[in-house]
Amino acid sequence: MEKKWICYKKVFRDTWIRNLKSKNNLVISDTMVPGLHLKYYTATGNIMFYLGYRVKVTQKSRCIQIGRYGDFDVAAVRERAIEFRKQIADGLDPVLERENKNKKTEEQKRNRIKVKDLLKRYFEEHSKVYKKKSTQKTDQSKINQYINPCLGDLWITDL
C-alpha cells in the first residue's frame, strides 16, 4: 500500500529539515518563496526541493526540481528558486530552458572530434590529394611518432 502524502506550510529552516523524520510522505511549502516546496520520501528518507509555477503563455502548471537537501542548503535553494521565478516573470519556462540547454550540450558532445580522427581526415582529404608520396610518408611518420602519442586521444574542443 502506498503511503499518502501529508501537506502543510512552514518557514524552511536548516535545523528542522536536517532532523525531519516521518512515517508519511510529506509535502511542505515554504511560506517565504511562493511555489517552493519540499518532498520528504519515507521509503528513502530523501528530501527534494521543487518549484511549482504556471507558464504565462499556456497557463500550464509545471514543477521544476531544484535539488536534494544535503547537496543544497535552504539559502541556496531559495536563491535558485528566486532565479527561476525571475525567469518565469520574464515569460520564460525554466523546464524548457533546461531541456534546451541539455539538448544543446548533447549535440555538442556528439559533434566533438578527437585529434587522431581529425588527423586521419587531414591525411585522406588533404595530404593524399595535394602532396607527393614522399611528403605523405613524412607526414604520416610525424603524425604516428609525435602527434598521436601526445595529443591523439584529446578532443579538439579541449585544446
Side-chain angles (χ1 to χ4, degrees), residues 74-112:
V74 171
V77 168
R78 278 198 183 109
E79 191 176 298
R80 291 185 79 184
I82 289 168
E83 286 300 315
F84 285 136
R85 290 192 54 79
K86 286 178 185 176
Q87 288 180 9
I88 294 162
D90 291 340
L92 300 174
D93 184 356
V95 171
L96 285 178
E97 294 295 319
R98 185 180 279 178
E99 288 172 359
N100 291 340
K101 183 179 174 184
N102 290 342
K103 284 180 186 176
K104 187 175 180 181
T105 304
E106 286 299 317
E107 187 176 315
Q108 287 174 341
K109 284 181 182 178
R110 281 195 305 272
N111 292 335
R112 288 173 51 171

Short mmCIF file of all heavy atoms in Angstrom, two decimals, residues 74-112:
data_model
loop_
_atom_site.label_atom_id
_atom_site.label_comp_id
_atom_site.label_asym_id
_atom_site.label_seq_id
_atom_site.Cartn_x
_atom_site.Cartn_y
_atom_site.Cartn_z
N VAL A 74 19.20 25.50 2.64
CA VAL A 74 17.96 26.26 2.41
C VAL A 74 18.24 27.58 1.71
O VAL A 74 17.51 27.98 0.79
CB VAL A 74 17.20 26.48 3.74
CG1 VAL A 74 16.04 27.43 3.55
CG2 VAL A 74 16.70 25.15 4.28
N ALA A 75 19.30 28.27 2.09
CA ALA A 75 19.62 29.56 1.47
C ALA A 75 19.89 29.40 -0.03
O ALA A 75 19.41 30.19 -0.84
CB ALA A 75 20.83 30.19 2.16
N ALA A 76 20.65 28.38 -0.39
CA ALA A 76 20.96 28.13 -1.81
C ALA A 76 19.71 27.75 -2.58
O ALA A 76 19.52 28.17 -3.73
CB ALA A 76 22.01 27.04 -1.94
N VAL A 77 18.84 26.97 -1.96
CA VAL A 77 17.59 26.57 -2.62
C VAL A 77 16.71 27.78 -2.87
O VAL A 77 16.15 27.94 -3.95
CB VAL A 77 16.85 25.50 -1.78
CG1 VAL A 77 15.45 25.30 -2.28
CG2 VAL A 77 17.62 24.20 -1.79
N ARG A 78 16.58 28.63 -1.87
CA ARG A 78 15.77 29.85 -2.04
C ARG A 78 16.35 30.73 -3.14
O ARG A 78 15.61 31.29 -3.95
CB ARG A 78 15.70 30.63 -0.73
CG ARG A 78 14.68 30.11 0.21
CD ARG A 78 14.34 31.14 1.27
NE ARG A 78 13.39 30.58 2.20
CZ ARG A 78 13.68 30.24 3.45
NH1 ARG A 78 14.88 30.47 3.94
NH2 ARG A 78 12.76 29.72 4.23
N GLU A 79 17.67 30.85 -3.17
CA GLU A 79 18.32 31.66 -4.19
C GLU A 79 18.03 31.13 -5.59
O GLU A 79 17.69 31.89 -6.50
CB GLU A 79 19.84 31.65 -3.92
CG GLU A 79 20.63 32.64 -4.72
CD GLU A 79 22.09 32.62 -4.32
OE1 GLU A 79 22.38 32.92 -3.15
OE2 GLU A 79 22.93 32.28 -5.19
N ARG A 80 18.13 29.82 -5.76
CA ARG A 80 17.83 29.21 -7.06
C ARG A 80 16.36 29.38 -7.41
O ARG A 80 16.01 29.65 -8.57
CB ARG A 80 18.21 27.73 -7.06
CG ARG A 80 19.73 27.53 -6.99
CD ARG A 80 20.10 26.10 -7.11
NE ARG A 80 20.03 25.74 -8.53
CZ ARG A 80 20.24 24.52 -8.99
NH1 ARG A 80 20.51 23.55 -8.16
NH2 ARG A 80 20.15 24.26 -10.27
N ALA A 81 15.48 29.22 -6.43
CA ALA A 81 14.04 29.38 -6.67
C ALA A 81 13.73 30.81 -7.10
O ALA A 81 12.93 31.02 -8.01
CB ALA A 81 13.25 29.02 -5.41
N ILE A 82 14.38 31.78 -6.48
CA ILE A 82 14.15 33.18 -6.85
C ILE A 82 14.64 33.44 -8.27
O ILE A 82 13.99 34.15 -9.05
CB ILE A 82 14.82 34.12 -5.82
CG1 ILE A 82 14.03 34.05 -4.50
CG2 ILE A 82 14.90 35.54 -6.33
CD1 ILE A 82 14.72 34.70 -3.32
N GLU A 83 15.78 32.84 -8.66
CA GLU A 83 16.27 32.98 -10.03
C GLU A 83 15.27 32.40 -11.03
O GLU A 83 15.01 32.99 -12.07
CB GLU A 83 17.64 32.30 -10.19
CG GLU A 83 18.77 33.04 -9.56
CD GLU A 83 18.96 34.44 -10.12
OE1 GLU A 83 18.92 34.61 -11.35
OE2 GLU A 83 19.12 35.37 -9.31
N PHE A 84 14.73 31.22 -10.71
CA PHE A 84 13.71 30.62 -11.58
C PHE A 84 12.47 31.50 -11.66
O PHE A 84 11.88 31.66 -12.73
CB PHE A 84 13.32 29.22 -11.10
CG PHE A 84 14.35 28.16 -11.39
CD1 PHE A 84 14.69 27.23 -10.43
CD2 PHE A 84 14.97 28.07 -12.63
CE1 PHE A 84 15.63 26.24 -10.68
CE2 PHE A 84 15.91 27.09 -12.90
CZ PHE A 84 16.25 26.17 -11.92
N ARG A 85 12.07 32.09 -10.54
CA ARG A 85 10.89 32.97 -10.54
C ARG A 85 11.14 34.21 -11.40
O ARG A 85 10.22 34.71 -12.03
CB ARG A 85 10.49 33.33 -9.12
CG ARG A 85 9.90 32.12 -8.38
CD ARG A 85 9.22 32.42 -7.10
NE ARG A 85 8.18 33.41 -7.15
CZ ARG A 85 6.93 33.22 -7.58
NH1 ARG A 85 6.57 32.04 -8.03
NH2 ARG A 85 6.05 34.18 -7.55
N LYS A 86 12.38 34.70 -11.44
CA LYS A 86 12.71 35.83 -12.31
C LYS A 86 12.54 35.43 -13.77
O LYS A 86 12.02 36.19 -14.57
CB LYS A 86 14.14 36.30 -12.06
CG LYS A 86 14.33 37.06 -10.77
CD LYS A 86 15.78 37.45 -10.58
CE LYS A 86 16.01 38.10 -9.24
NZ LYS A 86 17.45 38.39 -9.00
N GLN A 87 13.00 34.21 -14.11
CA GLN A 87 12.83 33.72 -15.48
C GLN A 87 11.35 33.62 -15.83
O GLN A 87 10.92 34.00 -16.93
CB GLN A 87 13.47 32.35 -15.65
CG GLN A 87 14.97 32.36 -15.67
CD GLN A 87 15.53 30.95 -15.84
OE1 GLN A 87 14.81 29.99 -16.10
NE2 GLN A 87 16.84 30.83 -15.69
N ILE A 88 10.56 33.12 -14.90
CA ILE A 88 9.12 32.97 -15.11
C ILE A 88 8.48 34.33 -15.32
O ILE A 88 7.64 34.52 -16.21
CB ILE A 88 8.48 32.21 -13.93
CG1 ILE A 88 9.00 30.78 -13.88
CG2 ILE A 88 6.96 32.24 -14.02
CD1 ILE A 88 8.79 30.08 -12.55
N ALA A 89 8.89 35.31 -14.51
CA ALA A 89 8.35 36.67 -14.65
C ALA A 89 8.71 37.28 -16.00
O ALA A 89 7.94 38.09 -16.54
CB ALA A 89 8.88 37.55 -13.52
N ASP A 90 9.84 36.87 -16.57
CA ASP A 90 10.25 37.35 -17.90
C ASP A 90 9.56 36.60 -19.03
O ASP A 90 9.83 36.84 -20.19
CB ASP A 90 11.77 37.24 -18.06
CG ASP A 90 12.53 38.21 -17.18
OD1 ASP A 90 11.92 39.22 -16.75
OD2 ASP A 90 13.72 37.97 -16.93
N GLY A 91 8.68 35.65 -18.68
CA GLY A 91 7.93 34.90 -19.68
C GLY A 91 8.62 33.63 -20.14
O GLY A 91 8.18 33.00 -21.10
N LEU A 92 9.70 33.24 -19.49
CA LEU A 92 10.41 32.01 -19.87
C LEU A 92 9.90 30.83 -19.06
O LEU A 92 9.35 30.99 -17.99
CB LEU A 92 11.91 32.17 -19.62
CG LEU A 92 12.60 33.29 -20.40
CD1 LEU A 92 14.04 33.43 -19.94
CD2 LEU A 92 12.53 33.05 -21.89
N ASP A 93 10.10 29.64 -19.60
CA ASP A 93 9.75 28.41 -18.90
C ASP A 93 11.04 27.71 -18.51
O ASP A 93 11.75 27.18 -19.36
CB ASP A 93 8.91 27.51 -19.82
CG ASP A 93 8.43 26.24 -19.15
OD1 ASP A 93 8.81 26.01 -17.97
OD2 ASP A 93 7.68 25.48 -19.77
N PRO A 94 11.39 27.70 -17.21
CA PRO A 94 12.66 27.10 -16.79
C PRO A 94 12.83 25.64 -17.18
O PRO A 94 13.94 25.20 -17.45
CB PRO A 94 12.64 27.25 -15.26
CG PRO A 94 11.71 28.36 -14.99
CD PRO A 94 10.70 28.32 -16.09
N VAL A 95 11.75 24.88 -17.21
CA VAL A 95 11.84 23.47 -17.61
C VAL A 95 12.27 23.38 -19.07
O VAL A 95 13.18 22.61 -19.42
CB VAL A 95 10.51 22.73 -17.38
CG1 VAL A 95 10.54 21.34 -17.99
CG2 VAL A 95 10.20 22.64 -15.89
N LEU A 96 11.65 24.17 -19.94
CA LEU A 96 12.03 24.16 -21.36
C LEU A 96 13.45 24.68 -21.55
O LEU A 96 14.20 24.16 -22.38
CB LEU A 96 11.06 25.00 -22.19
CG LEU A 96 9.70 24.38 -22.44
CD1 LEU A 96 8.82 25.33 -23.23
CD2 LEU A 96 9.84 23.07 -23.19
N GLU A 97 13.83 25.71 -20.79
CA GLU A 97 15.18 26.25 -20.87
C GLU A 97 16.21 25.17 -20.51
O GLU A 97 17.22 25.02 -21.18
CB GLU A 97 15.35 27.46 -19.95
CG GLU A 97 14.51 28.66 -20.33
CD GLU A 97 14.90 29.26 -21.66
OE1 GLU A 97 16.11 29.38 -21.94
OE2 GLU A 97 13.99 29.61 -22.44
N ARG A 98 15.92 24.42 -19.45
CA ARG A 98 16.83 23.35 -19.02
C ARG A 98 16.91 22.26 -20.07
O ARG A 98 17.98 21.75 -20.38
CB ARG A 98 16.35 22.78 -17.68
CG ARG A 98 17.28 21.76 -17.09
CD ARG A 98 16.76 21.21 -15.78
NE ARG A 98 17.06 22.13 -14.69
CZ ARG A 98 16.69 21.93 -13.43
NH1 ARG A 98 15.98 20.87 -13.10
NH2 ARG A 98 17.01 22.80 -12.50
N GLU A 99 15.75 21.87 -20.64
CA GLU A 99 15.73 20.84 -21.68
C GLU A 99 16.52 21.28 -22.91
O GLU A 99 17.29 20.49 -23.47
CB GLU A 99 14.29 20.50 -22.06
CG GLU A 99 13.54 19.71 -21.01
CD GLU A 99 12.06 19.56 -21.33
OE1 GLU A 99 11.58 20.08 -22.37
OE2 GLU A 99 11.37 18.92 -20.52
N ASN A 100 16.33 22.54 -23.33
CA ASN A 100 17.06 23.05 -24.49
C ASN A 100 18.56 23.09 -24.23
O ASN A 100 19.35 22.76 -25.12
CB ASN A 100 16.56 24.45 -24.87
CG ASN A 100 15.16 24.42 -25.43
OD1 ASN A 100 14.68 23.38 -25.89
ND2 ASN A 100 14.48 25.54 -25.39
N LYS A 101 18.95 23.47 -23.04
CA LYS A 101 20.37 23.50 -22.68
C LYS A 101 20.96 22.09 -22.71
O LYS A 101 22.05 21.88 -23.24
CB LYS A 101 20.54 24.11 -21.29
CG LYS A 101 21.96 24.26 -20.85
CD LYS A 101 22.03 24.88 -19.47
CE LYS A 101 23.46 24.92 -18.95
NZ LYS A 101 23.54 25.42 -17.58
N ASN A 102 20.22 21.11 -22.18
CA ASN A 102 20.68 19.72 -22.20
C ASN A 102 20.81 19.19 -23.62
O ASN A 102 21.76 18.48 -23.95
CB ASN A 102 19.77 18.82 -21.37
CG ASN A 102 19.89 19.09 -19.89
OD1 ASN A 102 20.86 19.69 -19.44
ND2 ASN A 102 18.91 18.67 -19.13
N LYS A 103 19.83 19.51 -24.48
CA LYS A 103 19.89 19.08 -25.88
C LYS A 103 21.10 19.67 -26.58
O LYS A 103 21.80 18.99 -27.34
CB LYS A 103 18.61 19.49 -26.63
CG LYS A 103 17.42 18.63 -26.32
CD LYS A 103 16.21 19.11 -27.09
CE LYS A 103 14.96 18.35 -26.69
NZ LYS A 103 13.77 18.87 -27.37
N LYS A 104 21.36 20.96 -26.33
CA LYS A 104 22.49 21.64 -26.95
C LYS A 104 23.81 21.01 -26.50
O LYS A 104 24.70 20.78 -27.31
CB LYS A 104 22.46 23.12 -26.59
CG LYS A 104 23.46 23.96 -27.30
CD LYS A 104 23.28 25.43 -26.97
CE LYS A 104 24.31 26.28 -27.69
NZ LYS A 104 24.17 27.69 -27.37
N THR A 105 23.92 20.71 -25.23
CA THR A 105 25.13 20.08 -24.69
C THR A 105 25.33 18.70 -25.31
O THR A 105 26.46 18.35 -25.70
CB THR A 105 25.04 19.96 -23.15
OG1 THR A 105 24.82 21.25 -22.61
CG2 THR A 105 26.29 19.37 -22.57
N GLU A 106 24.26 17.92 -25.41
CA GLU A 106 24.37 16.59 -26.03
C GLU A 106 24.78 16.69 -27.48
O GLU A 106 25.59 15.89 -27.97
CB GLU A 106 23.03 15.84 -25.90
CG GLU A 106 22.74 15.34 -24.52
CD GLU A 106 23.78 14.37 -24.00
OE1 GLU A 106 24.21 13.48 -24.77
OE2 GLU A 106 24.18 14.51 -22.84
N GLU A 107 24.23 17.66 -28.20
CA GLU A 107 24.58 17.85 -29.60
C GLU A 107 26.05 18.23 -29.75
O GLU A 107 26.74 17.73 -30.64
CB GLU A 107 23.69 18.95 -30.21
CG GLU A 107 23.85 19.11 -31.70
CD GLU A 107 22.89 20.12 -32.27
OE1 GLU A 107 21.70 20.08 -31.91
OE2 GLU A 107 23.34 20.94 -33.09
N GLN A 108 26.53 19.10 -28.86
CA GLN A 108 27.93 19.47 -28.89
C GLN A 108 28.83 18.27 -28.62
O GLN A 108 29.87 18.11 -29.25
CB GLN A 108 28.22 20.58 -27.88
CG GLN A 108 27.68 21.93 -28.29
CD GLN A 108 27.85 22.97 -27.20
OE1 GLN A 108 28.05 22.66 -26.04
NE2 GLN A 108 27.72 24.23 -27.59
N LYS A 109 28.42 17.40 -27.70
CA LYS A 109 29.21 16.20 -27.39
C LYS A 109 29.26 15.26 -28.60
O LYS A 109 30.28 14.65 -28.87
CB LYS A 109 28.64 15.47 -26.18
CG LYS A 109 28.97 16.13 -24.87
CD LYS A 109 28.41 15.34 -23.72
CE LYS A 109 28.69 16.02 -22.40
NZ LYS A 109 28.12 15.29 -21.27
N ARG A 110 28.12 15.15 -29.30
CA ARG A 110 28.08 14.27 -30.47
C ARG A 110 28.97 14.80 -31.59
O ARG A 110 29.51 14.03 -32.38
CB ARG A 110 26.65 14.11 -30.98
CG ARG A 110 25.80 13.14 -30.19
CD ARG A 110 24.54 12.77 -30.95
NE ARG A 110 23.75 13.92 -31.34
CZ ARG A 110 22.82 14.50 -30.59
NH1 ARG A 110 22.56 14.04 -29.40
NH2 ARG A 110 22.15 15.55 -31.03
N ASN A 111 29.07 16.12 -31.69
CA ASN A 111 29.84 16.72 -32.78
C ASN A 111 31.32 16.87 -32.46
O ASN A 111 32.08 17.35 -33.30
CB ASN A 111 29.26 18.10 -33.13
CG ASN A 111 27.89 17.98 -33.75
OD1 ASN A 111 27.55 16.97 -34.33
ND2 ASN A 111 27.08 19.01 -33.61
N ARG A 112 31.74 16.46 -31.26
CA ARG A 112 33.14 16.55 -30.90
C ARG A 112 33.96 15.54 -31.68
O ARG A 112 33.47 14.48 -32.05
CB ARG A 112 33.31 16.29 -29.40
CG ARG A 112 32.81 17.43 -28.55
CD ARG A 112 32.81 17.13 -27.10
NE ARG A 112 34.08 16.62 -26.60
CZ ARG A 112 34.36 16.46 -25.34
NH1 ARG A 112 33.48 16.77 -24.42
NH2 ARG A 112 35.53 15.99 -24.96
#
